Amino acid sequence: MTNIAVIGAGTMGNGIAHVFAQNNYKVNLIDISQAALDKGLATVTKNLDRLLSKEKITSIIKAQTLNNITTYTSIAEGVKDIDLVVEAATENIDLKLKIFKQIDEEAPANAILASNTSSISITKIASVTKRPEKVIGMHFMNPVPIMKLVEIIRGYNTSDEVTKTIMDLSENLKKVPVEVNDYPGFVANRILMPMLNEAIETLYNGVAGVYEIDTVMKLGMAHPMGPLQLADFIGLDVCLSILNVMYDGFKNPKYAPCPLLVNMVQAGKLGSKSGEGFYDYSENRKAEIISKQFR
């Protein structure tokens, strides 16, 4: 397995492309927007420069990594001669099903189709293809070049052979793969998202402020980042989407998103990527706490 296609040049997609390319795989990075591809490559370059400045890679490795990435704005062209597709598009089920229908038609018959979804059923994604035994989840963690975990999700029909291949491949990327079964939220987000949601509920109910909640979890629980800051970093829209998937999947009210989270997303306050969430990320402020009541 040497030729990889990554669909989506956003935060996760460019990170996944970076990791494969740095480990000597040929990567086709695909996005419908050339601007998104340019931005994704700029991010890869910036992250390589950071590694270079810390003497974790050489200038030769940087050059080889960038040379291993080719960009495409056409899925059909980008998946034509590949061994593995990793889809890293927006966490939207309709979009993912549309993409998988297309890559199933365009990719070689022996290619494995993987999704970086953080919550959506791999079995459901696989159901729109003619190769459900070759569909699997590869849930990388953000930031991809740094985080070691890859959550490997087996769909109902995913074969043992495909699972082993992807587990071995993840180890070749110097990652730690962990196999889990296909239920809403899998393991990582089934545990993480209710915690973030409860932190938002705690703020919403006036128990404590942003600073106080995050400080308690950082100093008391040894978390590297408070839950509200982490939610901002993930994206409040992404958190809402994952909670909705789990709520729909389990029909359990404990997964129902906090009204404050819903309102903030509707208001366009999505966290660091929009410039404001529970913290202010505008140019003159470095993740300052917003001084207002969250209701």
Side-chain angles (χ1 to χ4, degrees):
M1 188 170 287
T2 57
N3 299 316
I4 313 297
V6 177
I7 297 179
T11 300
M12 297 304 295
N14 70 60
I16 294 167
H18 173 168
V19 167
F20 274 107
Q22 192 174 319
N23 285 279
N24 298 316
Y25 291 87
K26 296 295 183 182
V27 180
N28 292 349
L29 182 58
I30 306 166
D31 201 293
I32 58 171
S33 164
Q34 185 61 51
L37 289 168
D38 293 341
K39 184 177 179 181
L41 280 180
T43 300
V44 173
T45 303
K46 180 180 177 182
N47 289 336
L48 288 168
D49 285 336
R50 185 178 295 115
L51 293 172
L52 185 61
S53 69
K54 294 179 180 179
E55 299 184 345
K56 293 187 176 182
I57 63 169
T58 65
S59 57
I60 294 174
I61 291 175
K62 174 190 170 182
Q64 288 174 340
T65 300
L66 292 172
N67 286 337
N68 281 336
I69 301 175
T70 305
T71 61
Y72 291 86
T73 54
S74 163
I75 288 179
E77 287 296 314
V79 304
K80 188 166 52 176
D81 297 308
I82 51 81
D83 304 305
L84 168 70
V85 181
V86 182
E87 171 271 320
T90 304
E91 194 73 352
N92 176 291
I93 189 165
D94 293 331
L95 175 62
K96 289 186 186 293
L97 295 182
K98 179 181 177 182
I99 289 171
F100 269 81
K101 282 181 182 178
Q102 184 173 0
I103 59 178
D104 183 49
E105 293 171 359
E106 305 287 356
N110 64 337
I112 295 173
L113 310 183
S115 176
N116 182 60
T117 180
S118 54
S119 62
I120 296 169
S121 169
I122 297 301
T123 303
K124 185 163 188 174
I125 290 172
S127 71
V128 301
T129 75
K130 298 181 181 69
R131 60 181 100 185
E133 74 286 352
K134 292 183 180 296
V135 179
I136 195 166
M138 288 186 80
H139 180 207
F140 290 83
M141 304 294 128
N142 186 28
V144 181
I146 304 300
M147 300 294 280
K148 289 293 186 184
L149 176 66
V150 183
E151 202 174 22
I152 307 298
I153 305 103
R154 291 187 66 142
Y156 189 84
N157 292 303
T158 307
S159 71
D160 291 341
E161 180 184 1
V162 165
T163 302
K164 184 180 186 308
T165 298
I166 296 303
M167 294 284 283
D168 291 345
L169 174 67
S170 300
E171 290 180 353
N172 289 342
L173 297 175
K174 303 177 182 66
K175 300 296 186 185
V176 179
V178 176
E179 181 184 336
V180 305
N181 290 319
D182 187 21
Y183 291 94
F186 316 131
V187 170
N189 281 316
R190 184 170 179 172
I191 295 170
L192 175 64
M193 286 301 156
M195 184 193 77
L196 301 188
N197 197 45
E198 193 62 30
I200 299 169
E201 284 279 2
T202 303
L203 178 66
Y204 179 59
N205 292 330
V207 177
V210 172
Y211 170 80
E212 290 78 12
I213 292 168
D214 278 358
T215 300
V216 165
M217 296 304 290
K218 286 191 288 184
L219 299 185
M221 311 303 167
H223 290 195
M225 185 183 294
L228 298 175
Q229 188 176 9
L230 178 57
D232 274 356
F233 180 65
I234 292 169
L236 301 188
D237 54 335
V238 176
C239 293
L240 178 60
S241 175
I242 295 169
L243 283 164
N244 280 331
V245 167
M246 293 196 294
Y247 182 56
D248 291 342
F250 291 117
K251 308 301 182 188
N252 189 324
K254 75 177 181 179
Y255 299 115
C258 175
L260 173 59
L261 175 61
V262 175
N263 280 344
M264 290 181 72
V265 171
Q266 289 177 340
K269 311 302 184 185
L270 309 181
S272 59
K273 63 184 173 185
S274 71
E276 183 180 329
F278 297 108
Y279 292 80
D280 186 341
Y281 301 89
S282 57
E283 189 173 343
N284 297 327
R285 302 174 184 269
K286 294 186 177 178
E288 287 187 8
I289 297 166
I290 295 171
S291 57
K292 67 178 182 181
Q293 292 293 315
F294 286 89
R295 287 280 189 246

